[in-house]
Amino acid sequence: MNVSMFDSIYADGETKRYHVVKTEHGFNKLLPLPTFKDSRNGYLVQDCCAFGAEVYVIESTGLGQEFSLVKDPRNGSYSWMIHRFSTLRNRYYYSNVFNAAGYKWQLMLNPKGDSGETNRSLSLYLKLDGDQSVYAEANLSVKDQLGGVDHMYKVCKLFGAWGTPRFMLLSDLRDASKGYLVNDILVVEAKLTQVSSVKDFS
Protein backbone atom coordinates (compact mmCIF):
# COMPACT_ATOMS: atom_id res chain seq x y z
CA MET A 1 0.00 0.00 0.00
CA ASN A 2 1.47 3.34 -1.03
CA VAL A 3 0.12 6.22 0.99
CA SER A 4 1.34 9.79 1.02
CA MET A 5 1.17 11.16 4.54
CA PHE A 6 2.88 13.38 7.04
CA ASP A 7 4.44 11.73 10.04
CA SER A 8 3.71 13.11 13.49
CA ILE A 9 6.67 13.19 15.82
CA TYR A 10 6.21 13.57 19.56
CA ALA A 11 8.92 14.17 22.15
CA ASP A 12 8.92 15.88 25.53
CA GLY A 13 12.60 16.85 25.42
CA GLU A 14 13.47 15.08 28.65
CA THR A 15 16.04 12.35 29.20
CA LYS A 16 14.35 9.20 30.47
CA ARG A 17 15.93 6.70 32.80
CA TYR A 18 14.78 3.09 32.72
CA HIS A 19 15.26 0.84 35.72
CA VAL A 20 13.64 -2.07 37.53
CA VAL A 21 10.67 -0.07 38.84
CA LYS A 22 10.28 2.15 35.77
CA THR A 23 10.44 0.00 32.65
CA GLU A 24 8.36 2.17 30.33
CA HIS A 25 7.75 5.78 29.32
CA GLY A 26 5.25 7.27 26.92
CA PHE A 27 2.32 9.63 26.41
CA ASN A 28 -1.12 9.26 27.99
CA LYS A 29 -2.58 11.45 25.22
CA LEU A 30 -0.54 11.04 22.06
CA LEU A 31 -3.13 12.01 19.43
CA PRO A 32 -6.88 12.81 19.59
CA LEU A 33 -8.83 9.71 18.49
CA PRO A 34 -10.97 11.55 15.88
CA THR A 35 -7.78 12.94 14.31
CA PHE A 36 -6.22 9.48 14.27
CA LYS A 37 -9.29 7.86 12.67
CA ASP A 38 -9.78 10.53 9.98
CA SER A 39 -8.23 8.89 6.88
CA ARG A 40 -7.56 12.32 5.36
CA ASN A 41 -4.81 12.78 7.96
CA GLY A 42 -3.07 9.61 6.78
CA TYR A 43 -2.63 7.98 10.19
CA LEU A 44 -5.20 5.20 9.68
CA VAL A 45 -5.70 4.09 6.07
CA GLN A 46 -7.60 0.94 5.08
CA ASP A 47 -7.59 -0.05 8.76
CA CYS A 48 -3.77 -0.03 8.84
CA CYS A 49 -1.41 2.21 10.76
CA ALA A 50 2.31 2.32 11.50
CA PHE A 51 4.20 3.33 14.63
CA GLY A 52 7.89 3.91 15.10
CA ALA A 53 10.33 5.02 17.75
CA GLU A 54 13.78 6.53 17.64
CA VAL A 55 15.87 5.83 20.71
CA TYR A 56 19.08 7.69 21.50
CA VAL A 57 21.11 5.96 24.20
CA ILE A 58 23.34 8.19 26.30
CA GLU A 59 26.79 6.70 26.66
CA SER A 60 27.52 5.44 30.15
CA THR A 61 29.78 7.50 32.38
CA GLY A 62 30.95 4.37 34.16
CA LEU A 63 28.92 5.29 37.23
CA GLY A 64 25.75 3.57 38.28
CA GLN A 65 23.23 2.96 41.01
CA GLU A 66 22.40 0.06 43.24
CA PHE A 67 18.68 -0.59 43.70
CA SER A 68 17.29 -2.53 46.63
CA LEU A 69 14.05 -2.91 48.56
CA VAL A 70 13.95 -2.18 52.28
CA LYS A 71 11.42 -4.48 53.96
CA ASP A 72 9.43 -3.28 56.97
CA PRO A 73 11.32 0.01 57.23
CA ARG A 74 11.92 1.57 60.63
CA ASN A 75 9.10 3.93 61.67
CA GLY A 76 7.11 2.59 58.72
CA SER A 77 3.76 2.64 60.58
CA TYR A 78 1.80 5.80 61.18
CA SER A 79 -1.61 6.24 62.87
CA TRP A 80 -3.81 9.27 62.38
CA MET A 81 -6.67 9.91 64.81
CA ILE A 82 -9.37 12.16 63.36
CA HIS A 83 -11.77 13.71 65.87
CA ARG A 84 -15.31 14.97 65.14
CA PHE A 85 -15.38 13.19 61.80
CA SER A 86 -19.05 13.98 61.16
CA THR A 87 -18.29 17.72 61.25
CA LEU A 88 -15.63 17.65 58.50
CA ARG A 89 -16.66 19.90 55.62
CA ASN A 90 -13.47 20.53 53.62
CA ARG A 91 -12.69 18.49 50.54
CA TYR A 92 -9.30 17.27 51.78
CA TYR A 93 -7.65 16.80 55.16
CA TYR A 94 -3.97 16.03 55.67
CA SER A 95 -2.13 14.18 58.41
CA ASN A 96 1.13 15.34 59.90
CA VAL A 97 4.19 14.47 57.82
CA PHE A 98 5.99 11.33 59.01
CA ASN A 99 9.43 10.00 58.11
CA ALA A 100 10.07 6.43 57.00
CA ALA A 101 12.91 4.83 55.00
CA GLY A 102 14.53 8.23 54.48
CA TYR A 103 11.45 9.81 52.88
CA LYS A 104 8.65 12.09 54.08
CA TRP A 105 5.07 10.80 53.79
CA GLN A 106 1.60 12.13 54.45
CA LEU A 107 -1.93 10.74 54.45
CA MET A 108 -4.68 12.61 52.58
CA LEU A 109 -8.37 11.99 53.16
CA ASN A 110 -11.59 13.17 51.52
CA PRO A 111 -14.42 12.47 54.01
CA LYS A 112 -17.13 12.79 51.34
CA GLY A 113 -15.46 10.95 48.44
CA ASP A 114 -13.80 11.96 45.18
CA SER A 115 -15.10 11.89 41.60
CA GLY A 116 -18.03 9.52 41.15
CA GLU A 117 -17.83 8.45 44.79
CA THR A 118 -19.06 11.79 46.20
CA ASN A 119 -21.33 11.21 49.23
CA ARG A 120 -20.84 7.49 48.77
CA SER A 121 -17.30 6.57 49.80
CA LEU A 122 -14.37 7.64 51.92
CA SER A 123 -11.34 8.48 49.75
CA LEU A 124 -7.87 7.84 51.18
CA TYR A 125 -4.39 8.39 49.73
CA LEU A 126 -0.75 8.10 50.75
CA LYS A 127 1.46 10.95 49.46
CA LEU A 128 5.21 11.19 49.07
CA ASP A 129 6.60 14.61 49.89
CA GLY A 130 8.85 15.82 47.07
CA ASP A 131 9.39 14.79 43.45
CA GLN A 132 11.43 11.60 43.94
CA SER A 133 10.59 8.38 42.13
CA VAL A 134 10.17 5.85 44.91
CA TYR A 135 8.59 2.42 44.66
CA ALA A 136 6.68 1.45 47.78
CA GLU A 137 4.25 -1.14 49.04
CA ALA A 138 1.93 -0.10 51.84
CA ASN A 139 -1.24 -1.11 53.62
CA LEU A 140 -3.78 1.67 54.22
CA SER A 141 -6.44 0.89 56.78
CA VAL A 142 -9.30 2.24 58.83
CA LYS A 143 -9.03 0.67 62.27
CA ASP A 144 -11.82 -1.33 63.87
CA GLN A 145 -11.82 0.25 67.32
CA LEU A 146 -13.93 -2.58 68.76
CA GLY A 147 -11.18 -5.12 68.14
CA GLY A 148 -12.54 -6.65 64.96
CA VAL A 149 -11.13 -6.70 61.44
CA ASP A 150 -9.66 -3.47 60.06
CA HIS A 151 -10.75 -2.27 56.64
CA MET A 152 -7.54 -2.43 54.57
CA TYR A 153 -6.36 -1.57 51.07
CA LYS A 154 -2.95 -2.54 49.68
CA VAL A 155 -0.93 -0.06 47.63
CA CYS A 156 1.91 -1.11 45.30
CA LYS A 157 3.03 1.96 43.42
CA LEU A 158 5.79 4.15 42.09
CA PHE A 159 5.07 7.29 44.15
CA GLY A 160 3.93 10.29 43.72
CA ALA A 161 0.70 9.78 45.46
CA TRP A 162 -1.69 6.94 45.35
CA GLY A 163 -4.72 5.47 47.03
CA THR A 164 -8.30 5.06 45.97
CA PRO A 165 -11.38 7.31 45.78
CA ARG A 166 -13.44 4.31 46.85
CA PHE A 167 -11.57 3.28 49.96
CA MET A 168 -14.70 2.23 51.82
CA LEU A 169 -18.41 2.92 51.65
CA LEU A 170 -19.63 5.66 53.97
CA SER A 171 -22.57 3.41 54.91
CA ASP A 172 -20.10 0.83 56.28
CA LEU A 173 -18.05 3.53 57.98
CA ARG A 174 -21.11 4.87 59.81
CA ASP A 175 -22.40 1.43 60.83
CA ALA A 176 -21.81 1.49 64.60
CA SER A 177 -21.64 -2.31 64.79
CA LYS A 178 -18.51 -2.35 62.61
CA GLY A 179 -16.45 -0.23 65.03
CA TYR A 180 -14.83 2.09 62.49
CA LEU A 181 -16.35 5.29 63.87
CA VAL A 182 -16.50 5.42 67.68
CA ASN A 183 -17.46 8.59 69.56
CA ASP A 184 -17.12 10.37 66.20
CA ILE A 185 -13.42 9.41 66.06
CA LEU A 186 -11.85 7.76 63.02
CA VAL A 187 -8.43 6.09 63.18
CA VAL A 188 -6.51 5.74 59.90
CA GLU A 189 -3.21 3.90 59.57
CA ALA A 190 -0.51 3.60 56.93
CA LYS A 191 2.00 0.76 57.16
CA LEU A 192 4.87 0.74 54.68
CA THR A 193 5.97 -2.85 54.05
CA GLN A 194 8.60 -2.23 51.34
CA VAL A 195 10.35 0.90 50.10
CA SER A 196 12.94 1.18 47.35
CA SER A 197 16.44 2.41 48.15
CA VAL A 198 18.87 3.72 45.52
CA LYS A 199 22.58 4.15 46.21
CA ASP A 200 24.90 5.90 43.79
CA PHE A 201 28.21 4.24 42.98
CA SER A 202 31.14 6.56 43.57
Side-chain angles (χ1 to χ4, degrees), residues 169-184:
L169 294 174
L170 290 174
S171 57
D172 289 338
L173 178 65
R174 293 166 179 156
D175 186 338
S177 68
K178 297 182 182 296
Y180 300 125
L181 196 59
V182 177
N183 296 325
D184 209 20

Side-chain angles (χ1 to χ4, degrees), residues 126-143:
L126 178 64
K127 297 174 72 268
L128 176 67
D129 186 35
D131 58 359
Q132 307 101 320
S133 292
V134 178
Y135 174 80
E137 296 181 8
N139 295 324
L140 305 182
S141 61
V142 168
K143 307 296 289 184

